[in-house]
Amino acid sequence: MSLPDRKELEVRRLLEGPHPVVPADLAPTAAARGARLLRRRQALRRAGWTLLLAAAVAFTVWASLTRPWVTPPSTVAPPLEGW
């Protein structure tokens, strides 16, 4: 008997045999778990977007107060006054 025939016979034997008993509350339990996972995923997504928005606002406030794009005054020579 070749390998594919043996596998086919094993599958047929498994399908013809007694089927396992499915728990009565399987569907409601699966639905409750799926809803819980969906709520958790939505909460994590909402928290991530809130954190990203807070970081953007904090960066904007910091940049407007410190103005990092302005070059600092040179300290190589003293300022010329009284000419």
Side-chain angles (χ1 to χ4, degrees):
M1 187 177 284
S2 67
L3 184 63
D5 291 337
R6 189 173 359 128
K7 286 185 179 181
E8 183 179 347
L9 286 176
E10 288 179 21
V11 169
R12 287 183 189 274
R13 190 176 68 238
L14 286 173
L15 291 175
E16 291 172 358
H19 300 292
V21 179
V22 177
D25 64 340
L26 181 65
T29 305
R33 183 170 185 245
R36 187 173 57 246
L37 289 174
L38 183 63
R39 281 193 309 270
R40 184 180 299 156
R41 188 177 301 141
Q42 287 174 344
L44 285 174
R45 187 178 298 132
R46 189 174 296 129
W49 279 110
T50 304
L51 184 65
L52 182 66
L53 179 67
V57 168
F59 176 76
T60 304
V61 169
W62 170 80
S64 66
L65 292 177
T66 59
R67 295 189 292 168
W69 55 87
V70 176
T71 56
S74 176
T75 58
V76 175
L80 295 174
E81 295 177 4
W83 271 83

